[in-house]
Amino acid sequence: MVRPADRAKRPERVSVWLEGGSSRGGAAARGGAGRGGDQPSGLDRERITAAVVRVLDAEGLAGFSMRRLAAELNVTAMSVYWYVDTKDDLLELALDAVFGELALPGAESEEDWRERLRGLAVGYRALVVRHPWVSTLIGSFLNIGPCSMAFSDRVRRVIRDSGMPAHGRTGAVSAVIRFVYGFGTIEGHQDFAFALALLIAGIEAMVARG
């Protein structure tokens, strides 16, 4: 049994995206050597991350383990640790990788903001439905990988281009992301298109009110 005092002594986990070069996983991620430069051949973080996504899609979070991942890669479990430090690192990498599947409008797109927002919302919902494990991980990690941040940036740009006053943009971005996240976890139980139209109409109304 873990005593509260012991739990308090444990250092908080650092996101894999904030580790920098302090770990062997950080070095290997950038193509550098692991311990002594003898990392296992045929492996890299991209290949490992793709395998993590496949295992999570097939087995779910409950069925994911380092042993199962190693079997997918046809390597030993220890081989994976040349590229990451923990299982949570792998989950963070997989979470950001699937956000890379989203088709994002260009940073300076001239398409109407409503159409851009609709495209982002539909794509995000499809992502959560396609990868059911994503919804749990979004609430567990900082979700600050490059692909996730690119998505968030596009949503912010859309809200800015809608004419929303600066003081309301953070709330509007949060409303959009949480709205889509919620609908992604209840696939087939609601009219998403109608609800999205209501959300967009609500943003338009708030912009009109200034």
Side-chain angles (χ1 to χ4, degrees):
M1 179 177 179
V2 179
R3 296 174 299 177
D6 294 333
R7 188 182 299 115
K9 294 177 183 177
R10 292 180 178 177
E12 291 187 5
R13 178 184 176 275
V14 177
S15 169
V16 69
W17 302 109
L18 299 177
E19 288 176 348
S22 62
S23 68
R24 66 176 181 271
R30 295 186 298 276
R35 291 173 295 184
D38 296 326
Q39 68 266 35
S41 62
L43 279 185
D44 55 40
R45 187 174 275 194
E46 183 176 349
R47 182 186 169 202
I48 293 170
T49 301
V52 174
V53 172
R54 291 196 301 272
V55 173
L56 288 171
D57 285 345
E59 311 289 346
L61 282 169
F64 179 78
S65 67
M66 298 301 283
R67 180 176 297 180
R68 175 66 179 83
L69 173 63
E72 179 73 16
L73 290 165
N74 195 29
V75 298
T76 65
M78 288 305 299
S79 298
V80 178
Y81 284 113
W82 285 87
Y83 297 89
V84 294
D85 290 329
T86 69
K87 177 181 173 181
D88 280 350
D89 287 350
L90 291 171
L91 296 178
E92 270 197 286
L93 291 168
L95 177 60
D96 192 66
V98 295
F99 268 85
E101 298 173 5
L102 294 172
L104 304 180
E108 303 301 327
S109 173
E110 297 182 359
E111 186 180 22
D112 182 78
W113 70 267
R114 299 165 188 81
E115 292 306 311
R116 279 183 283 155
L117 181 57
R118 189 172 289 108
L120 288 167
V122 169
Y124 182 31
R125 188 205 186 194
L127 173 69
V128 177
V129 172
R130 185 164 62 250
H131 304 290
W133 48 271
V134 164
S135 60
T136 299
L137 296 188
I138 286 175
S140 302
F141 298 120
L142 289 176
N143 205 18
I144 55 173
C147 296
S148 299
M149 294 301 291
F151 170 71
S152 297
D153 177 69
R154 292 303 186 273
V155 176
R156 285 193 295 270
R157 287 176 182 270
V158 168
I159 295 301
R160 179 200 66 189
D161 293 346
S162 73
M164 179 70 68
H167 67 268
R169 291 174 190 170
T170 299
V173 169
S174 178
V176 169
I177 292 177
R178 292 179 182 277
F179 162 81
V180 180
Y181 170 82
F183 265 90
T185 60
I186 54 173
E187 170 73 2
H189 297 289
Q190 300 287 338
D191 189 338
F192 175 71
F194 179 72
L196 179 58
L198 288 178
L199 177 64
I200 293 174
I203 294 174
E204 290 176 322
M206 294 299 294
V207 170
R209 288 174 55 184

